C-alpha cells in the first residue's frame, strides 16, 4: 500500500489487516513509555488546509509514537496565503525530503491530485464531502473491540443519523461498515440526505424511533452548518426533537448498543444527553483508538514490516 486515499480502495481483508495491526499499536500505547523506533528517520508532514484540532493532533501523536519526525503546516501561516499553488506547496516541501503527507482539504479529490506531484505517500485526512478513511477505520476498530467482533460485522444493525449530505464520515463509514458485513440504515430528513442514494448499499429511513430498539450502533453525525448554504432544517430544536439522541431515545436502546459520534459535537443538538452519562457511549474510545489506527496506517505505508518492536509480554510481532 502506497497511499490511503479512499476507504473503498480496501476490501474486507485489507481493513481487517489494518485493524489487527491496530491491536499491536494499542498494546504499545498502553506501555509506560508508549514510543517505538519503527519510523525513525522518516518524515511525516501534516498539511491541513481546513480547521482541525483532533484529527491533526491525532496524526501528530501517532507519528511521534513511531519516532517519525513531524512537520506541521497550518495553512493560515503558510505561503498559500501569498498565492502559492497547491502544486508549488507540495513540490517545495517534497524537495526538503518527505516520506508522507497527511492532507486535509476542503476540495474533494485534492489528496488524489497531490499524488501526481510527489513520490511521498499520501494519507487523506478528510477531503470535502468525499472521504475520511482513517475515521472509518477508527470507527470499525471501536465497534470491533466494544462489541467483540474481531473478524466481521455480519448481522450488526447500524444507523447513521443526521447530516449525511455533507458528511465525508458517513460516506466512508457506509463503505467500511458494509464491507465488513453490517446492515446500515441512513436516518435523516430528506433535506440532509444526498439527492440520490440509490447506488448506496443502505436502507433509508426518516423514523429514528421505529429503529431504536433493534440497533447495535447508533452513529450520530455533526450538523455541518459551515457547509450548508441554505437552511436545511426548520430549526435546530425541531431537528433535535425528531433526530437527536434525547434521554427518552437513549432509554429505548438495547443494553449493549453503542452510541458514536466523530466529533466535534454540537451539544444539545445531535446529542441532547451528556455522553459521559450514557453507558453505551464510546465517543472517547473513538478518540483514543484514532491514535492507534493512525499509527497502524503510517506503519503500513512507511514501515519496513519487520522493525515493529515485539510485544514485551508475548514476544510476538505483527
Ligand atoms: C469529522 C470531519 O472533519 O470530517 N471530524 C473529524 O475528523 N474530527 C466530522 C465532522 O467534522 O463533523
Amino acid at each position: 500500500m502506497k497511499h490511503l486515499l479512499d476507504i473503498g480502495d480496501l476490501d474486507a481483508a485489507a481493513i481487517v489487516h489494518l485493524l489487527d495491526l491496530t491491536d499491536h499499536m494499542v498494546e504499545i500505547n498502553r506501555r509506560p513509555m508508549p514510543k517505538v523506533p519503527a519510523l525513525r528517520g522518516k518524515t511525516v508532514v501534516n498539511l491541513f488546509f481546513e480547521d482541525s484540532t483532533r484529527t491533526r493532533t491525532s496524526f501528530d501523536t501517532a507519528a511521534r509514537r513511531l519516532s517519525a519526525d513531524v512537520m506541521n503546516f497550518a495553512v493560515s501561516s503558510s505561503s498559500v496565503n501569498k498565492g502559492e499553488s497547491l502544486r508549488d506547496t507540495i513540490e517545495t516541501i517534497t524537495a526538503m525530503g518527505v516520506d508522507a503527507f497527511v492532507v486535509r482539504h476542503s476540495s474533494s479529490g485534492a489528496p488524489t491530485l497531490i499524488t501526481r506531484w510527489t513520490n511521498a505517500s499520501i494519507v487523506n485526512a478528510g477531503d470535502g464531502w468525499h472521504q475520511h478513511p482513517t475515521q472509518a477505520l477508527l470507527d470499525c476498530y471501536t465497534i470491533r473491540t466494544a462489541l467483540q467482533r474481531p473478524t466481521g460485522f455480519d448481522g450488526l444493525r447500524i444507523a447513521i443519523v443526521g447530516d449525511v449530505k455533507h458528511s465525508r464520515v458517513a460516506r466512508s463509514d457506509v463503505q467500511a461498515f458494509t464491507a465488513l458485513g453490517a446492515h446500515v440504515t441512513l436516518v435523516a430528513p430528506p433535506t440532509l440526505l444526498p439527492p440520490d442514494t440509490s447506488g448506496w448499499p443502505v436502507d433509508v429511513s426518516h423514523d429514528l424511533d421505529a429503529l431504536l430498539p433493534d440497533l447495535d450502533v447508533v452513529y450520530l453525525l455533526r450538523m455541518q452548518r459551515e457547509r450548508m448554504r441554505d437552511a436545511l432544517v426548520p430549526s435546530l430544536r425541531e431537528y433535535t426533537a425528531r433526530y437527536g439522541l434525547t434521554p427518552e431515545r437513549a432509554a429505548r436502546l438495547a443494553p449493549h448498543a453503542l452510541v458514536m459520534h466523530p466529533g466535534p459535537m454540537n451539544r444539545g443538538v445531535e446529542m441532547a444527553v451528556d455522553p459521559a452519562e450514557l453507558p453505551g457511549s464510546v465517543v472517547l474510545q473513538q478518540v483514543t483508538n484514532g491514535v492507534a489506527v493512525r499509527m497502524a496506517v503510517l506503519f503500513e505505508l512507511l514501515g519496513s514490516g519487520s522493525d515493529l518492536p515485539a510485544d514485551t509480554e508475548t514476544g510476538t510481532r505483527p
Side-chain angles (χ1 to χ4, degrees):
M1 195 162 105
K2 166 88 176 169
H3 307 293
L4 179 60
L5 299 169
D6 189 319
I7 196 71
D9 295 338
L10 305 183
D11 61 13
I15 293 173
V16 169
H17 166 72
L18 283 170
L19 303 184
D20 289 344
L21 194 51
T22 303
D23 279 333
H24 293 274
M25 303 304 173
V26 166
E27 184 276 316
I28 289 169
N29 288 339
R30 287 201 189 113
R31 296 179 192 174
M33 249 275 275
K35 188 158 177 158
V36 293
L39 296 187
R40 195 150 53 189
K42 304 282 185 188
T43 300
V44 176
V45 175
N46 288 321
L47 197 55
F48 277 63
F49 294 89
E50 237 188 25
D51 293 341
S52 161
T53 315
R54 77 182 63 211
T55 305
R56 192 181 51 72
T57 46
S58 181
F59 271 107
D60 191 275
T61 307
R64 289 175 204 278
R65 291 206 173 149
L66 297 174
S67 302
D69 293 320
V70 184
M71 286 196 273
N72 281 295
F73 279 75
V75 168
S76 56
S77 57
S78 83
S79 297
V80 172
N81 291 336
K82 299 179 186 166
E84 188 178 58
S85 73
L86 181 59
R87 178 173 185 163
D88 285 335
T89 304
I90 297 299
E91 288 180 349
T92 302
I93 302 173
T94 299
M96 296 176 195
V98 164
D99 298 287
F101 286 97
V102 176
V103 181
R104 171 164 287 195
H105 201 285
S106 57
S107 296
S108 299
T112 304
L113 197 60
I114 287 172
T115 61
R116 296 199 210 149
W117 303 322
T118 178
N119 52 15
S121 291
I122 308 295
V123 182
N124 182 357
D127 62 330
W129 302 1
H130 177 227
Q131 276 285 318
H132 193 353
T134 58
Q135 180 74 42
L137 291 169
L138 77 89
D139 289 334
C140 287
Y141 189 79
T142 302
I143 294 171
R144 152 171 145 142
T145 46
L147 295 181
Q148 291 167 15
R149 291 300 200 105
T151 52
F153 293 172
D154 278 344
L156 282 189
R157 304 187 75 82
I158 303 178
I160 299 181
V161 184
D163 185 2
V164 178
K165 180 175 178 156
H166 301 97
S167 178
R168 54 195 174 209
V169 173
R171 285 176 180 74
S172 308
D173 276 356
V174 163
Q175 285 177 301
F177 295 163
T178 55
L180 293 180
H183 181 276
V184 176
T185 307
L186 304 178
V187 189
T191 49
L192 291 180
L193 286 168
D196 181 11
T197 49
S198 56
W200 296 41
V202 296
D203 285 340
V204 174
S205 163
H206 309 300
D207 187 356
L208 179 58
D209 290 309
L211 294 170
L212 278 177
D214 296 326
L215 294 175
D216 299 293
V217 177
V218 50
Y219 196 104
L220 306 165
L221 297 168
R222 182 173 65 89
M223 286 289 268
Q224 299 176 66
R225 282 176 282 182
E226 79 281 6
R227 301 211 167 113
M228 291 182 196
R229 274 167 305 167
D230 310 308
L232 296 178
V233 288
S235 72
L236 288 180
R237 188 186 301 179
E238 194 160 324
Y239 174 82
T240 306
R242 289 209 49 193
Y243 297 98
L245 191 68
T246 57
E248 298 72 37
R249 291 203 174 99
R252 295 186 56 231
L253 286 168
H256 72 277
L258 306 181
V259 176
M260 302 178 71
H261 192 296
M265 174 183 322
N266 296 305
R267 274 189 192 255
V269 181
E270 304 97 51
M271 279 238 201
V273 274
D274 184 349
E277 285 165 19
L278 274 182
S281 167
V282 288
V283 171
L284 290 178
Q285 270 109 298
Q286 288 173 271
V287 178
T288 305
N289 292 337
V291 174
V293 156
R294 288 169 178 132
M295 288 167 75
V297 168
L298 290 173
F299 182 73
E300 181 74 15
L301 297 180
L302 302 181
S304 65
S306 60
D307 51 1
L308 191 66
D311 184 323
T312 41
E313 279 158 30
T314 63
T316 54
R317 288 178 197 277

